[in-house]
Amino acid sequence: MDRTGEFPRENVAKLGEMGLLGMVIGEEYGGAEFGAVALAVAIEEVSYACSSTGLIMSVNNSLMGLPIYLYGNDHLKDTYLRRLITGEIIGAFALTEPGAGSDAVSIATTAVRDGDEYVLNGTKRFISNAEVAQVFLVFAVTDKEKRAKVITAFIVDRDTPGFEVGKHEEMMGVRATGTCELSFEDCRVPVEHVLGDVDQGFILGMKLLDNSRIGIGAQSVGIAQHALDLAVQYSKERKQFGKPICEFEMVQDMLATCAAKVAAARHLVLHAAYLKDEGTKKITREAAMAKYYASEIANDVTHACLQIHGGYGYSKEYDIERLYRDAKVLEIYEGTTQIQKIVIARSLLEE
Ligand code: CAA
């Protein structure tokens, strides 16, 4: 899938069968209601094998199923929730635009009310799952005069006239996530497809990212753990200067440092998830710390473990090369490392 960029439909169907797509959704809609810790553990395990499938799963759970479950009206819940949980349909989260990434509040997509509908115009970019998604959580500016921060969240069905999924993004890593552009041209969305309250979409988006950033932390831990396991194995098999390279202390130093980093990241991720399950009202700082630290160490660890593999690690024959590429985006999507640090610092300073 990394080579072809093909969306892993079979994996997604299996996730649905196993109940891994509705992990934080109530049983009344067919969800497993397992909670945030279980979701983090599952995302880590799935990402260990396939980072793309891990991301698809995280987005579907935390940035589509959960938002409809928490903020959707009965119509939205009845139309989409069960199908999202079984994997019959997939969801996508459409915030980022060509001119608005880190500065999410400056999005330019507009939504103007006309009778019982909103008319959406604009473009989104780098939208994971978009290639196959049936339902999109779309953020648009609803008060052009005030612009900044007056944003509303909409649930947009793929079949809505005026909505189009555009160019597939050719990316360095997580290449099977069906990441595409979206365009809205006089796209009419019924009022009942507003998610949450009108004009309150930015805060809603930020709250959702608090949950889903734990998932990216878990994805990071899965990738890093896989890299470490490969490096341990390889260092025992590879012989240089007459002995396995694991007997050299410089290699041992790298393995030990990686192991401590992976364990520390896992603790941060599970702690943030635990606080969520425990009912802690605001987990913004803990989620940002988990995402920041885990994504950074995933890059450190895949870098060191590729180095242990030497020339073979640089070859596409070995999985470590893919893990190294997959790790980079962890520091970018769902808020860059620099944005996580801003979030952490602001939360410290406002105490
Ligand atoms: N919970 C609740 N409310 C929050 C909040 C949170 N976590 N974060 C911010 N808010 C509220 C603030 O309290 C504020 O409310 P008031 O207006 O009532 O005071 C309002 O939201 C605006 O907040 P800020 O003033 O802090 O806004 P800002 O413009 O300074 O931006 C930011 C804050 C943290 C930088 C934010 O823009 C951000 O997180 N940017 C990164 C965007 C991002 O993560 N994009 C990811 C794209 S999705 C993706 O990648 C998914 C995928 O497919 C992989």
Side-chain angles (χ1 to χ4, degrees), residues 55 174 212-225 227 261-269 286-304 323-341 344:
L55 179 73
V174 290
S212 65
R213 284 171 180 162
I214 302 174
I216 303 305
Q219 189 195 14
S220 308
V221 175
I223 293 171
Q225 182 69 58
K261 285 180 174 174
V262 174
R266 183 177 290 115
H267 278 81
L268 274 179
V269 167
E286 287 76 12
M289 291 197 301
K291 199 272 185 189
Y292 143 61
Y293 185 75
S295 63
E296 190 169 86
I297 68 96
N299 280 274
D300 297 346
V301 168
T302 52
H303 180 267
L323 297 171
Y324 180 76
R325 283 185 289 105
D326 283 352
K328 184 57 213 167
V329 75
L330 304 165
E331 295 181 313
I332 298 171
Y333 57 33
E334 300 207 13
T336 62
T337 296
Q338 292 67 31
I339 290 295
Q340 306 310 320
K341 288 183 176 175
I344 297 163

Short mmCIF file of all heavy atoms in Angstrom, two decimals, residues 55 174 212-225 227 261-269 286-304 323-341 344:
data_model
loop_
_atom_site.label_atom_id
_atom_site.label_comp_id
_atom_site.label_asym_id
_atom_site.label_seq_id
_atom_site.Cartn_x
_atom_site.Cartn_y
_atom_site.Cartn_z
N LEU A 55 -3.96 5.91 10.98
CA LEU A 55 -4.49 7.28 10.86
C LEU A 55 -5.95 7.26 10.42
O LEU A 55 -6.78 7.99 10.98
CB LEU A 55 -3.67 8.11 9.86
CG LEU A 55 -4.24 9.53 9.72
CD1 LEU A 55 -3.93 10.36 10.96
CD2 LEU A 55 -3.75 10.23 8.48
N VAL A 174 2.76 7.90 5.12
CA VAL A 174 1.34 7.51 5.26
C VAL A 174 0.64 7.61 3.91
O VAL A 174 -0.38 8.28 3.76
CB VAL A 174 0.60 8.30 6.38
CG1 VAL A 174 1.09 7.90 7.75
CG2 VAL A 174 0.70 9.80 6.21
N SER A 212 -8.29 13.92 19.43
CA SER A 212 -7.64 13.18 18.34
C SER A 212 -6.12 13.29 18.41
O SER A 212 -5.42 12.42 17.90
CB SER A 212 -8.15 13.66 17.00
OG SER A 212 -7.76 14.98 16.79
N ARG A 213 -5.60 14.32 19.06
CA ARG A 213 -4.14 14.43 19.19
C ARG A 213 -3.58 13.29 20.04
O ARG A 213 -2.43 12.88 19.85
CB ARG A 213 -3.75 15.81 19.74
CG ARG A 213 -3.87 16.88 18.67
CD ARG A 213 -3.72 18.30 19.18
NE ARG A 213 -3.84 19.26 18.08
CZ ARG A 213 -4.09 20.55 18.21
NH1 ARG A 213 -4.24 21.07 19.43
NH2 ARG A 213 -4.19 21.33 17.16
N ILE A 214 -4.39 12.77 20.95
CA ILE A 214 -3.95 11.59 21.72
C ILE A 214 -3.76 10.43 20.73
O ILE A 214 -2.81 9.64 20.85
CB ILE A 214 -4.98 11.21 22.81
CG1 ILE A 214 -5.20 12.38 23.77
CG2 ILE A 214 -4.53 9.96 23.56
CD1 ILE A 214 -6.33 12.14 24.80
N GLY A 215 -4.65 10.35 19.77
CA GLY A 215 -4.56 9.29 18.75
C GLY A 215 -3.29 9.40 17.92
O GLY A 215 -2.65 8.39 17.59
N ILE A 216 -2.89 10.62 17.60
CA ILE A 216 -1.64 10.80 16.81
C ILE A 216 -0.45 10.43 17.70
O ILE A 216 0.54 9.86 17.22
CB ILE A 216 -1.52 12.24 16.26
CG1 ILE A 216 -2.74 12.59 15.40
CG2 ILE A 216 -0.22 12.40 15.46
CD1 ILE A 216 -3.03 11.64 14.25
N GLY A 217 -0.54 10.73 19.00
CA GLY A 217 0.51 10.28 19.92
C GLY A 217 0.60 8.76 19.91
O GLY A 217 1.70 8.18 19.84
N ALA A 218 -0.54 8.10 19.94
CA ALA A 218 -0.56 6.62 19.94
C ALA A 218 -0.01 6.08 18.62
O ALA A 218 0.74 5.09 18.61
CB ALA A 218 -1.99 6.13 20.15
N GLN A 219 -0.37 6.72 17.53
CA GLN A 219 0.16 6.31 16.22
C GLN A 219 1.69 6.43 16.22
O GLN A 219 2.39 5.53 15.73
CB GLN A 219 -0.45 7.22 15.14
CG GLN A 219 -0.15 6.77 13.72
CD GLN A 219 -0.45 7.87 12.71
OE1 GLN A 219 -0.62 9.04 13.05
NE2 GLN A 219 -0.49 7.50 11.44
N SER A 220 2.19 7.51 16.82
CA SER A 220 3.64 7.74 16.90
C SER A 220 4.32 6.63 17.70
O SER A 220 5.39 6.14 17.31
CB SER A 220 3.93 9.08 17.59
OG SER A 220 3.22 10.13 17.00
N VAL A 221 3.70 6.24 18.82
CA VAL A 221 4.29 5.20 19.66
C VAL A 221 4.34 3.87 18.90
O VAL A 221 5.34 3.14 18.94
CB VAL A 221 3.51 5.04 20.99
CG1 VAL A 221 4.05 3.88 21.81
CG2 VAL A 221 3.57 6.33 21.81
N GLY A 222 3.28 3.57 18.15
CA GLY A 222 3.25 2.33 17.37
C GLY A 222 4.37 2.28 16.35
O GLY A 222 5.07 1.26 16.21
N ILE A 223 4.57 3.38 15.65
CA ILE A 223 5.62 3.44 14.62
C ILE A 223 6.99 3.31 15.28
O ILE A 223 7.86 2.56 14.83
CB ILE A 223 5.51 4.77 13.82
CG1 ILE A 223 4.21 4.77 13.01
CG2 ILE A 223 6.72 4.97 12.92
CD1 ILE A 223 3.89 6.11 12.35
N ALA A 224 7.19 4.03 16.39
CA ALA A 224 8.49 4.02 17.08
C ALA A 224 8.79 2.62 17.65
O ALA A 224 9.92 2.12 17.55
CB ALA A 224 8.49 5.06 18.19
N GLN A 225 7.78 1.98 18.23
CA GLN A 225 7.99 0.64 18.80
C GLN A 225 8.37 -0.36 17.71
O GLN A 225 9.26 -1.19 17.89
CB GLN A 225 6.71 0.17 19.51
CG GLN A 225 6.84 -1.20 20.18
CD GLN A 225 7.78 -1.15 21.40
OE1 GLN A 225 7.55 -0.40 22.33
NE2 GLN A 225 8.85 -1.96 21.37
N ALA A 227 9.90 0.33 14.88
CA ALA A 227 11.28 0.64 14.46
C ALA A 227 12.27 0.05 15.46
O ALA A 227 13.29 -0.57 15.08
CB ALA A 227 11.47 2.15 14.37
N LYS A 261 12.72 6.38 25.34
CA LYS A 261 11.85 7.39 24.71
C LYS A 261 10.48 6.80 24.36
O LYS A 261 9.46 7.45 24.56
CB LYS A 261 12.53 7.95 23.44
CG LYS A 261 13.67 8.91 23.75
CD LYS A 261 14.30 9.43 22.46
CE LYS A 261 15.33 10.50 22.77
NZ LYS A 261 16.07 10.94 21.58
N VAL A 262 10.48 5.60 23.83
CA VAL A 262 9.19 4.98 23.46
C VAL A 262 8.33 4.77 24.71
O VAL A 262 7.13 5.08 24.72
CB VAL A 262 9.41 3.62 22.72
CG1 VAL A 262 8.07 2.92 22.47
CG2 VAL A 262 10.14 3.84 21.40
N ALA A 263 8.97 4.29 25.77
CA ALA A 263 8.20 4.04 27.01
C ALA A 263 7.66 5.35 27.57
O ALA A 263 6.49 5.42 28.01
CB ALA A 263 9.09 3.33 28.03
N ALA A 264 8.48 6.39 27.57
CA ALA A 264 8.03 7.69 28.11
C ALA A 264 6.87 8.24 27.28
O ALA A 264 5.88 8.74 27.83
CB ALA A 264 9.21 8.67 28.12
N ALA A 265 6.98 8.12 25.98
CA ALA A 265 5.91 8.63 25.10
C ALA A 265 4.62 7.86 25.35
O ALA A 265 3.53 8.44 25.44
CB ALA A 265 6.32 8.50 23.64
N ARG A 266 4.74 6.53 25.48
CA ARG A 266 3.53 5.72 25.73
C ARG A 266 2.86 6.15 27.03
O ARG A 266 1.63 6.24 27.10
CB ARG A 266 3.91 4.23 25.76
CG ARG A 266 2.70 3.33 25.93
CD ARG A 266 3.06 1.85 25.90
NE ARG A 266 3.49 1.39 24.61
CZ ARG A 266 4.72 0.95 24.31
NH1 ARG A 266 5.66 0.92 25.25
NH2 ARG A 266 5.03 0.55 23.10
N HIS A 267 3.66 6.42 28.05
CA HIS A 267 3.07 6.86 29.33
C HIS A 267 2.33 8.18 29.16
O HIS A 267 1.24 8.36 29.71
CB HIS A 267 4.16 7.01 30.40
CG HIS A 267 4.53 5.70 31.03
ND1 HIS A 267 5.38 4.80 30.44
CD2 HIS A 267 4.14 5.12 32.18
CE1 HIS A 267 5.51 3.73 31.20
NE2 HIS A 267 4.77 3.90 32.27
N LEU A 268 2.90 9.12 28.43
CA LEU A 268 2.23 10.41 28.23
C LEU A 268 0.90 10.23 27.50
O LEU A 268 -0.11 10.85 27.84
CB LEU A 268 3.12 11.36 27.41
CG LEU A 268 4.14 12.20 28.16
CD1 LEU A 268 4.94 13.05 27.16
CD2 LEU A 268 3.46 13.12 29.17
N VAL A 269 0.94 9.39 26.47
CA VAL A 269 -0.26 9.15 25.66
C VAL A 269 -1.35 8.51 26.53
O VAL A 269 -2.50 8.97 26.57
CB VAL A 269 0.07 8.25 24.44
CG1 VAL A 269 -1.21 7.74 23.77
CG2 VAL A 269 0.94 9.00 23.44
N GLU A 286 -2.46 18.14 28.28
CA GLU A 286 -1.95 16.75 28.30
C GLU A 286 -1.96 16.14 26.89
O GLU A 286 -1.04 15.42 26.52
CB GLU A 286 -2.79 15.89 29.24
CG GLU A 286 -2.56 16.18 30.72
CD GLU A 286 -3.21 17.46 31.21
OE1 GLU A 286 -4.05 18.04 30.47
OE2 GLU A 286 -2.89 17.90 32.33
N ALA A 287 -3.01 16.46 26.12
CA ALA A 287 -3.08 15.92 24.75
C ALA A 287 -1.97 16.53 23.89
O ALA A 287 -1.32 15.84 23.10
CB ALA A 287 -4.44 16.22 24.14
N ALA A 288 -1.73 17.83 24.07
CA ALA A 288 -0.68 18.51 23.29
C ALA A 288 0.70 17.97 23.67
O ALA A 288 1.56 17.77 22.79
CB ALA A 288 -0.76 20.02 23.50
N MET A 289 0.91 17.71 24.98
CA MET A 289 2.21 17.18 25.41
C MET A 289 2.42 15.78 24.84
O MET A 289 3.51 15.44 24.37
CB MET A 289 2.30 17.14 26.94
CG MET A 289 2.38 18.54 27.55
SD MET A 289 2.96 18.59 29.26
CE MET A 289 1.79 17.58 30.10
N ALA A 290 1.36 14.97 24.86
CA ALA A 290 1.47 13.60 24.33
C ALA A 290 1.78 13.64 22.84
O ALA A 290 2.65 12.92 22.35
CB ALA A 290 0.18 12.84 24.60
N LYS A 291 1.06 14.49 22.13
CA LYS A 291 1.25 14.55 20.67
C LYS A 291 2.63 15.10 20.33
O LYS A 291 3.34 14.56 19.48
CB LYS A 291 0.13 15.44 20.08
CG LYS A 291 -0.12 15.26 18.59
CD LYS A 291 0.74 16.15 17.73
CE LYS A 291 0.40 16.04 16.27
NZ LYS A 291 1.38 16.74 15.43
N TYR A 292 3.02 16.17 21.00
CA TYR A 292 4.32 16.78 20.74
C TYR A 292 5.45 15.80 21.01
O TYR A 292 6.31 15.53 20.16
CB TYR A 292 4.49 18.07 21.56
CG TYR A 292 5.88 18.30 22.10
CD1 TYR A 292 6.97 18.44 21.24
CD2 TYR A 292 6.12 18.36 23.47
CE1 TYR A 292 8.25 18.61 21.73
CE2 TYR A 292 7.39 18.52 23.97
CZ TYR A 292 8.46 18.64 23.09
OH TYR A 292 9.72 18.79 23.57
N TYR A 293 5.44 15.21 22.21
CA TYR A 293 6.58 14.38 22.61
C TYR A 293 6.63 13.09 21.78
O TYR A 293 7.68 12.69 21.27
CB TYR A 293 6.51 14.07 24.10
CG TYR A 293 7.73 13.30 24.56
CD1 TYR A 293 8.96 13.94 24.71
CD2 TYR A 293 7.67 11.93 24.79
CE1 TYR A 293 10.10 13.24 25.08
CE2 TYR A 293 8.80 11.21 25.17
CZ TYR A 293 10.01 11.88 25.31
OH TYR A 293 11.13 11.17 25.67
N ALA A 294 5.47 12.43 21.63
CA ALA A 294 5.47 11.14 20.93
C ALA A 294 5.85 11.32 19.46
O ALA A 294 6.57 10.48 18.90
CB ALA A 294 4.09 10.49 21.06
N SER A 295 5.38 12.39 18.84
CA SER A 295 5.72 12.57 17.42
C SER A 295 7.21 12.90 17.26
O SER A 295 7.85 12.44 16.32
CB SER A 295 4.85 13.66 16.78
OG SER A 295 5.08 14.91 17.39
N GLU A 296 7.74 13.65 18.22
CA GLU A 296 9.17 13.98 18.14
C GLU A 296 10.04 12.73 18.33
O GLU A 296 10.97 12.48 17.56
CB GLU A 296 9.53 15.04 19.18
CG GLU A 296 10.93 15.58 18.97
CD GLU A 296 11.20 16.81 19.82
OE1 GLU A 296 11.59 16.66 20.98
OE2 GLU A 296 11.00 17.93 19.31
N ILE A 297 9.69 11.91 19.33
CA ILE A 297 10.54 10.72 19.56
C ILE A 297 10.35 9.69 18.44
O ILE A 297 11.26 8.92 18.15
CB ILE A 297 10.36 10.08 20.96
CG1 ILE A 297 9.00 9.44 21.15
CG2 ILE A 297 10.69 11.09 22.06
CD1 ILE A 297 8.98 7.96 20.87
N ALA A 298 9.18 9.68 17.81
CA ALA A 298 8.99 8.74 16.68
C ALA A 298 10.00 9.08 15.58
O ALA A 298 10.55 8.19 14.92
CB ALA A 298 7.57 8.80 16.15
N ASN A 299 10.26 10.37 15.42
CA ASN A 299 11.27 10.78 14.42
C ASN A 299 12.68 10.45 14.89
O ASN A 299 13.49 9.93 14.13
CB ASN A 299 11.11 12.26 14.08
CG ASN A 299 9.98 12.46 13.08
OD1 ASN A 299 10.19 12.37 11.88
ND2 ASN A 299 8.77 12.67 13.58
N ASP A 300 12.97 10.72 16.17
CA ASP A 300 14.30 10.37 16.71
C ASP A 300 14.55 8.87 16.60
O ASP A 300 15.64 8.43 16.21
CB ASP A 300 14.40 10.71 18.21
CG ASP A 300 14.24 12.18 18.49
OD1 ASP A 300 14.33 12.99 17.56
OD2 ASP A 300 14.02 12.52 19.69
N VAL A 301 13.54 8.10 17.00
CA VAL A 301 13.70 6.64 17.09
C VAL A 301 13.84 6.02 15.69
O VAL A 301 14.71 5.17 15.47
CB VAL A 301 12.53 6.01 17.89
CG1 VAL A 301 12.52 4.49 17.77
CG2 VAL A 301 12.60 6.44 19.35
N THR A 302 12.99 6.43 14.75
CA THR A 302 13.10 5.85 13.40
C THR A 302 14.44 6.25 12.78
O THR A 302 15.06 5.48 12.06
CB THR A 302 11.93 6.26 12.48
OG1 THR A 302 11.80 7.69 12.50
CG2 THR A 302 10.63 5.63 12.92
N HIS A 303 14.92 7.46 13.11
CA HIS A 303 16.21 7.94 12.60
C HIS A 303 17.34 7.06 13.13
O HIS A 303 18.18 6.55 12.38
CB HIS A 303 16.38 9.40 13.03
CG HIS A 303 17.66 10.03 12.59
ND1 HIS A 303 18.78 10.05 13.38
CD2 HIS A 303 17.98 10.67 11.46
CE1 HIS A 303 19.76 10.67 12.74
NE2 HIS A 303 19.31 11.06 11.57
N ALA A 304 17.35 6.83 14.45
CA ALA A 304 18.41 6.02 15.07
C ALA A 304 18.33 4.57 14.60
O ALA A 304 19.37 3.94 14.34
CB ALA A 304 18.29 6.09 16.60
N LEU A 323 9.01 3.29 7.79
CA LEU A 323 8.67 3.87 9.10
C LEU A 323 9.30 5.25 9.26
O LEU A 323 8.69 6.17 9.81
CB LEU A 323 9.15 2.93 10.22
CG LEU A 323 8.48 1.55 10.24
CD1 LEU A 323 9.17 0.62 11.23
CD2 LEU A 323 7.00 1.67 10.57
N TYR A 324 10.53 5.38 8.75
CA TYR A 324 11.24 6.67 8.81
C TYR A 324 10.45 7.75 8.05
O TYR A 324 10.26 8.86 8.54
CB TYR A 324 12.63 6.47 8.19
CG TYR A 324 13.53 7.68 8.14
CD1 TYR A 324 14.18 8.14 9.28
CD2 TYR A 324 13.75 8.35 6.93
CE1 TYR A 324 15.04 9.23 9.21
CE2 TYR A 324 14.60 9.44 6.87
CZ TYR A 324 15.24 9.87 8.02
OH TYR A 324 16.08 10.96 7.95
N ARG A 325 9.93 7.39 6.87
CA ARG A 325 9.15 8.36 6.09
C ARG A 325 7.79 8.62 6.75
O ARG A 325 7.32 9.74 6.80
CB ARG A 325 8.94 7.86 4.65
CG ARG A 325 10.16 8.02 3.78
CD ARG A 325 9.86 7.63 2.33
NE ARG A 325 9.67 6.20 2.15
CZ ARG A 325 8.49 5.59 1.95
NH1 ARG A 325 7.38 6.29 1.91
NH2 ARG A 325 8.41 4.29 1.79
N ASP A 326 7.16 7.54 7.26
CA ASP A 326 5.83 7.71 7.88
C ASP A 326 5.89 8.61 9.12
O ASP A 326 4.92 9.30 9.44
CB ASP A 326 5.26 6.34 8.28
CG ASP A 326 4.70 5.56 7.10
OD1 ASP A 326 4.61 6.13 5.99
OD2 ASP A 326 4.34 4.38 7.28
N ALA A 327 7.03 8.60 9.81
CA ALA A 327 7.12 9.34 11.07
C ALA A 327 7.07 10.86 10.86
O ALA A 327 6.58 11.60 11.72
CB ALA A 327 8.40 8.96 11.81
N LYS A 328 7.55 11.34 9.73
CA LYS A 328 7.72 12.80 9.59
C LYS A 328 6.42 13.56 9.78
O LYS A 328 6.36 14.58 10.48
CB LYS A 328 8.35 13.13 8.23
CG LYS A 328 8.65 14.61 8.04
CD LYS A 328 9.59 15.17 9.13
CE LYS A 328 9.28 16.61 9.44
NZ LYS A 328 9.92 17.10 10.68
N VAL A 329 5.35 13.06 9.17
CA VAL A 329 4.10 13.83 9.19
C VAL A 329 3.48 13.92 10.58
O VAL A 329 2.67 14.81 10.86
CB VAL A 329 3.10 13.23 8.17
CG1 VAL A 329 2.47 11.93 8.69
CG2 VAL A 329 2.02 14.24 7.79
N LEU A 330 3.92 13.03 11.49
CA LEU A 330 3.38 13.08 12.86
C LEU A 330 3.67 14.42 13.52
O LEU A 330 2.91 14.89 14.37
CB LEU A 330 3.99 11.96 13.71
CG LEU A 330 3.81 10.53 13.16
CD1 LEU A 330 4.75 9.57 13.87
CD2 LEU A 330 2.36 10.09 13.29
N GLU A 331 4.78 15.04 13.10
CA GLU A 331 5.15 16.35 13.67
C GLU A 331 4.44 17.50 12.96
O GLU A 331 4.67 18.66 13.26
CB GLU A 331 6.67 16.57 13.52
CG GLU A 331 7.51 15.60 14.32
CD GLU A 331 9.00 15.87 14.15
OE1 GLU A 331 9.45 16.04 13.00
OE2 GLU A 331 9.71 15.93 15.16
N ILE A 332 3.62 17.14 11.96
CA ILE A 332 2.98 18.19 11.15
C ILE A 332 1.45 18.17 11.29
O ILE A 332 0.84 19.19 11.65
CB ILE A 332 3.39 18.04 9.67
CG1 ILE A 332 4.91 18.22 9.53
CG2 ILE A 332 2.65 19.05 8.79
CD1 ILE A 332 5.48 17.89 8.16
N TYR A 333 0.81 17.00 11.01
CA TYR A 333 -0.66 17.07 10.99
C TYR A 333 -1.25 17.11 12.41
O TYR A 333 -0.59 16.84 13.39
CB TYR A 333 -1.31 16.01 10.10
CG TYR A 333 -1.05 14.54 10.31
CD1 TYR A 333 -0.83 13.97 11.54
CD2 TYR A 333 -1.10 13.70 9.20
CE1 TYR A 333 -0.66 12.60 11.68
CE2 TYR A 333 -0.92 12.33 9.32
CZ TYR A 333 -0.71 11.79 10.57
OH TYR A 333 -0.54 10.46 10.70
N GLU A 334 -2.52 17.52 12.44
CA GLU A 334 -3.25 17.75 13.70
C GLU A 334 -2.52 18.74 14.62
O GLU A 334 -2.57 18.63 15.84
CB GLU A 334 -3.59 16.43 14.38
CG GLU A 334 -4.46 15.58 13.45
CD GLU A 334 -5.38 14.60 14.12
OE1 GLU A 334 -5.57 14.70 15.33
OE2 GLU A 334 -5.93 13.76 13.40
N GLY A 335 -1.84 19.70 14.00
CA GLY A 335 -1.11 20.74 14.73
C GLY A 335 0.37 20.39 14.80
O GLY A 335 0.74 19.35 15.34
N THR A 336 1.22 21.26 14.24
CA THR A 336 2.66 21.00 14.22
C THR A 336 3.22 20.97 15.66
O THR A 336 2.55 21.39 16.61
CB THR A 336 3.40 22.12 13.47
OG1 THR A 336 3.16 23.35 14.18
CG2 THR A 336 2.93 22.26 12.03
N THR A 337 4.47 20.52 15.76
CA THR A 337 5.15 20.53 17.07
C THR A 337 5.14 21.94 17.66
O THR A 337 4.89 22.13 18.86
CB THR A 337 6.61 20.07 16.87
OG1 THR A 337 6.56 18.72 16.43
CG2 THR A 337 7.43 20.18 18.13
N GLN A 338 5.37 22.93 16.80
CA GLN A 338 5.43 24.32 17.29
C GLN A 338 4.06 24.76 17.82
O GLN A 338 3.98 25.44 18.85
CB GLN A 338 5.91 25.24 16.15
CG GLN A 338 7.36 25.02 15.74
CD GLN A 338 7.65 23.66 15.09
OE1 GLN A 338 6.79 23.08 14.41
NE2 GLN A 338 8.85 23.14 15.30
N ILE A 339 2.98 24.34 17.15
CA ILE A 339 1.63 24.67 17.64
C ILE A 339 1.37 23.98 18.98
O ILE A 339 0.82 24.58 19.91
CB ILE A 339 0.55 24.29 16.59
CG1 ILE A 339 0.63 25.23 15.37
CG2 ILE A 339 -0.86 24.31 17.20
CD1 ILE A 339 0.30 26.68 15.63
N GLN A 340 1.79 22.71 19.10
CA GLN A 340 1.58 22.00 20.39
C GLN A 340 2.29 22.76 21.52
O GLN A 340 1.77 22.89 22.62
CB GLN A 340 2.11 20.56 20.37
CG GLN A 340 1.58 19.69 19.25
CD GLN A 340 0.08 19.72 19.10
OE1 GLN A 340 -0.66 19.73 20.07
NE2 GLN A 340 -0.38 19.75 17.86
N LYS A 341 3.50 23.28 21.21
CA LYS A 341 4.25 23.99 22.25
C LYS A 341 3.56 25.30 22.63
O LYS A 341 3.55 25.70 23.79
CB LYS A 341 5.69 24.23 21.79
CG LYS A 341 6.50 22.93 21.80
CD LYS A 341 7.94 23.17 21.43
CE LYS A 341 8.74 21.87 21.53
NZ LYS A 341 10.12 22.02 21.07
N ILE A 344 0.73 24.28 24.90
CA ILE A 344 1.22 23.91 26.24
C ILE A 344 1.61 25.18 27.01
O ILE A 344 1.21 25.37 28.17
CB ILE A 344 2.43 22.96 26.13
CG1 ILE A 344 2.03 21.64 25.45
CG2 ILE A 344 3.04 22.68 27.51
CD1 ILE A 344 3.20 20.80 24.92
#
